[in-house]
């Protein structure tokens, strides 16, 4: 994974990957917390029937409390199969979410895309870990900015 990846290239590969996943015969969607964090992770993959990626991810991710489905901090799109180009990348962006009191709040979310003939657990985990580092840094920066604003009032 490299920082030299342009957003346009990442967006293009992400869309192609989502399109290919939507046409897959079967999809597997393990979810859990990234280890030692409260960042929710959802992995959407077609790699499950022929390999151990899904069961390995279920072992890697920490169990999340049972609740209604919600968006996750990290979403991974993992596409495997013959003819898939080798690609690994991630992006972090800021989005607005509605809070319980109805107000809007800026939060960071990460998207990880891994494609290839047989995507490896190592690559998916690396994408999750890099995403979590970025999300944690954004949370610290957002908290510091909020403290500065409150201090100035």
């Amino acid at each position: 994974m490299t920082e030299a990846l342009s957003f346009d290239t990442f967006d293009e590969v992400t869309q192609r990957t989502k399109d290919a996943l939507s046409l897959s015969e079967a999809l597997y969607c393990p979810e859990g917390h990234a280890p030692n964090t409260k960042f929710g992770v959802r992995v959407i993959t077609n790699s499950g029937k022929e390999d151990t990626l899904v069961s390995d991810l279920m072992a890697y991710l920490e169990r999340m409390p049972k609740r209604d489905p919600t968006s996750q901090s990290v979403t991974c799109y993992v596409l495997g199969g013959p003819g898939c180009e080798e690609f690994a990348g991630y992006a972090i962006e800021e989005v607005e979410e509605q809070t319980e009191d109805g107000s809007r709040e800026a939060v960071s979310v990460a998207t990880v895309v891994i494609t290839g003939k047989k995507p490896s657990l190592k690559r998916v985990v690396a994408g999750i870990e890099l995403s979590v580092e970025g999300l944690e840094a954004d949370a610290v920066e957002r908290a510091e900015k909020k403290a500065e604003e409150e201090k100035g009032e």
Side-chain angles (χ1 to χ4, degrees):
M1 295 188 201
T2 176
E3 290 185 30
L5 181 65
S6 76
F7 284 112
D8 288 340
T9 300
F10 181 80
D11 286 343
E12 181 183 316
V13 174
T14 300
Q15 191 57 56
R16 283 198 320 258
T17 302
K18 287 179 180 180
D19 292 345
L21 285 169
S22 71
L23 298 173
S24 295
E25 187 176 308
L27 289 177
Y28 306 89
C29 301
E31 286 189 2
H33 284 130
N36 303 313
T37 75
K38 293 297 180 195
F39 289 108
V41 176
R42 176 179 294 134
V43 180
I44 302 169
T45 182
N46 67 337
S47 300
K49 218 175 199 178
E50 294 84 23
D51 62 37
T52 62
L53 181 63
V54 172
S55 58
D56 291 344
L57 283 166
M58 290 172 67
Y60 167 74
L61 296 171
E62 293 179 353
R63 192 169 169 181
M64 287 179 28
K66 194 169 187 170
R67 57 177 163 58
D68 291 335
T70 61
S71 62
Q72 301 298 327
S73 299
V74 181
T75 303
C76 304
Y77 299 96
V78 182
L79 177 67
C84 286
E85 67 178 301
E86 293 292 326
F87 179 86
Y90 74 101
I92 298 174
E93 60 185 321
E94 190 173 277
V95 298
E96 282 193 3
E97 285 189 352
Q98 190 166 345
T99 61
E100 290 181 16
D101 67 4
S103 63
R104 305 290 288 171
E105 177 181 62
V107 296
S108 295
V109 295
T111 302
V112 178
V113 178
I114 310 286
T115 65
K117 185 177 179 180
K118 187 173 179 180
S120 70
L121 176 67
K122 183 178 179 179
R123 285 185 125 187
V124 177
V125 168
I128 292 169
E129 289 176 351
L130 289 168
S131 295
V132 166
E133 285 178 25
L135 293 173
E136 288 173 337
D138 281 1
V140 167
E141 184 178 316
R142 200 171 282 113
E144 288 173 351
K145 186 176 179 182
K146 187 176 181 177
E148 287 285 325
E149 289 172 358
E150 289 174 357
K151 195 177 182 180
E153 290 179 4

